[in-house]
Amino acid sequence: MFQFIHIECYAREAGKGKAGNNTVDKVVAENDRDEGNCPHVERPMPPIIRYGVSAKQAGELAKKWAKNAKDASGKRLRKDGLCLAAGVISYKNTGKNWDKFREDCIDWLHSQYGDRLKSVIEHTDEGHPHIHFLVVPRNGERFEAIHRGKAAAAEAKATGKYKGGQNLAYIEAMRDWQDEFSRGVAMCHGMTRIGPKRRRLPNAAWNAEQQQAEFFADAAAQASAIRRKVLREARKEGQKEIERIKTEAAEIGNRIAEVAKTAISALHAPTIRAKKAAEKAEADKKRILEKAKEDRKALEERLKAKAKFEIEALQGELDRQKRIAESYERDFERILPAEQFLQLKRQKQLEYR
């Protein structure tokens, strides 16, 4: 079994002297299995979109790109200027491992074209399952950005090579493209790079080469299976190791937390004692102030009582002295004449002052 990958280029209108089906609309209609556009298929079935948009939508993107594109001279791209690259990859191994092959092909195409790959369509209504891929340049790019052969030919032309040199550059670039597909996809699925007829191999030699290709494919499959097994086991072991590390980390974290707690307690012990001492001092201060207030109040009461007693005693003494003086006055009034008595009274008042 050998690989089959092919790519063609299409314009909005067929160029002068070219077949009418060499257009974007025609190839899109064939991909979409539009009625009357796939006479080679006995019973057409709807295509399956495996990547991106439908073929029709990809064709519209190509025509939209063409409206804004420029040719090599900087002029607007003519209607027969190329704007869509469309290819096909076929699988001749009677459908065995087709799903894996198809997905590997899509991955390879995406690695080749990136977001320029707009659509991958699967057809299951022909002798061998196959996919069609549609590629459109990015805005501002030349068409050569999506076709390696045309890019090589344009580069050869720019360097002054004649048509023969440009053709050789084209062929060499497309051979490299085929080689990359062989190394990237086909060999992993037991496909040879070139078929027997192209190389005129006798049946014995071709069968030997085919067996070798199948051996390499089987070896690749076994290697892939072993790799997956190793990865699964590695993931399991890794998960166990992660759990073990988490457990150890948790234990270490707990130990660190205890040590930190102890260290913080020790570190702040003086602060705690100082705080307690300050609280005690504050309580003592409050108690002393209350006691002082009570003592002051008691002292004031005692002083008031003492002052009252002394005042009362003094008042009593004054009253007693007053009574004595009044008694003396009465006695002098009886003994002395009135004039002398008044004179003596005035003298006594002056003494009291």
Side-chain angles (χ1 to χ4, degrees):
M1 183 174 60
F2 56 92
Q3 71 182 44
F4 181 86
I5 178 171
H6 184 71
I7 191 168
E8 288 283 355
C9 306
Y10 299 90
R12 289 170 289 177
E13 292 183 3
K16 187 176 180 181
K18 293 186 178 181
N21 62 352
N22 193 34
T23 65
V24 171
D25 289 337
K26 289 292 183 179
V27 72
V28 165
E30 193 275 330
N31 274 270
D32 279 344
R33 293 297 193 245
D34 289 351
E35 186 176 355
N37 286 277
C38 46
H40 61 290
V41 181
E42 186 177 353
R43 293 175 182 168
M45 295 178 65
I48 304 170
I49 299 174
R50 292 299 183 182
Y51 177 87
V53 299
S54 68
K56 183 177 182 180
Q57 289 172 309
E60 293 301 319
L61 291 173
K63 288 188 281 188
K64 182 179 179 181
W65 173 85
K67 287 180 181 179
N68 301 314
K70 306 288 184 181
D71 60 16
S73 62
K75 298 179 180 178
R76 288 185 63 180
L77 188 68
R78 291 169 36 162
K79 289 192 175 182
D80 61 352
L82 302 176
C83 61
L84 176 70
V88 59
I89 303 175
S90 182
Y91 191 70
K92 301 181 182 299
N93 198 16
T94 64
K96 183 181 178 182
N97 296 324
W98 159 245
D99 291 346
K100 181 66 170 63
F101 176 77
R102 181 191 62 222
E103 296 307 313
D104 287 348
C105 289
I106 293 173
D107 290 342
W108 183 83
L109 289 168
H110 193 269
S111 71
Q112 290 283 311
Y113 302 109
D115 59 358
R116 302 179 185 90
L117 180 65
K118 300 302 181 184
S119 177
V120 177
I121 304 296
E122 178 182 357
H123 288 157
T124 58
D125 51 10
E126 296 186 57
H128 300 287
H130 60 276
I131 56 174
H132 292 265
F133 58 93
L134 306 175
V135 188
V136 178
R138 293 171 182 159
N139 290 331
E141 285 184 337
R142 296 283 305 281
F143 182 79
E144 288 84 350
I146 63 171
H147 195 286
R148 191 177 300 183
K150 292 191 175 295
E155 186 177 353
K157 183 178 180 180
T159 59
K161 291 183 179 180
Y162 293 106
K163 193 66 175 178
Q166 296 172 30
N167 289 339
L168 287 175
Y170 180 97
I171 293 169
E172 187 65 28
M174 295 311 294
R175 184 182 290 118
D176 290 342
W177 184 70
Q178 292 276 351
D179 289 344
E180 288 182 13
F181 179 76
S182 177
R183 291 190 296 269
V185 180
M187 287 181 64
C188 298
H189 292 270
M191 297 179 180
T192 61
R193 165 69 174 80
I194 303 172
K197 292 182 180 180
R198 288 280 307 273
R199 292 179 291 164
R200 293 184 172 86
L201 289 178
N203 289 338
W206 168 247
N207 291 334
E209 187 171 312
Q210 186 64 33
Q211 289 176 3
Q212 186 182 42
E214 290 175 358
F215 169 79
F216 284 130
D218 185 58
Q222 290 183 30
S224 179
I226 292 171
R227 185 169 61 253
R228 289 194 298 271
K229 182 180 178 181
V230 170
L231 287 174
R232 284 196 301 271
E233 292 177 353
R235 278 195 292 269
K236 289 180 181 178
E237 291 298 322
Q239 191 60 37
K240 290 180 182 178
E241 185 67 14
I242 290 170
E243 294 299 328
R244 184 185 66 79
I245 291 172
K246 284 183 178 179
T247 302
E248 289 184 0
E251 292 176 356
I252 292 171
N254 292 335
R255 290 199 296 271
I256 290 173
E258 288 297 325
V259 171
K261 183 178 179 181
T262 303
I264 291 170
S265 298
L267 181 65
H268 292 286
T271 305
I272 295 171
R273 289 197 296 270
K275 185 178 180 181
K276 289 182 179 179
E279 291 174 352
K280 185 176 182 299
E282 186 67 21
D284 292 341
K285 177 183 176 182
K286 186 176 181 180
R287 187 174 62 256
I288 291 170
L289 289 175
E290 291 293 333
K291 183 69 167 56
K293 185 177 180 180
E294 291 175 0
D295 291 345
R296 184 172 64 250
K297 187 175 181 180
L299 178 61
E300 287 176 354
E301 293 297 329
R302 287 197 301 273
L303 290 175
K304 285 181 181 179
K306 184 177 180 181
K308 183 179 180 182
F309 174 78
E310 292 178 350
I311 290 170
E312 289 177 351
L314 182 59
Q315 186 65 41
E317 182 64 20
L318 289 172
D319 290 341
R320 189 176 68 80
Q321 293 292 336
K322 184 177 181 181
R323 287 193 299 271
I324 292 173
E326 289 175 352
S327 176
Y328 284 153
E329 287 179 359
R330 285 191 299 272
D331 290 341
F332 281 120
E333 187 176 359
R334 284 194 304 269
I335 297 172
L336 295 174
E339 185 177 350
Q340 290 181 347
F341 175 75
L342 292 173
Q343 185 179 0
L344 180 62
K345 186 176 180 180
R346 283 197 293 273
Q347 288 178 352
K348 290 289 183 182
Q349 288 176 347
L350 289 174
E351 288 177 3
Y352 290 151
R353 291 176 185 174

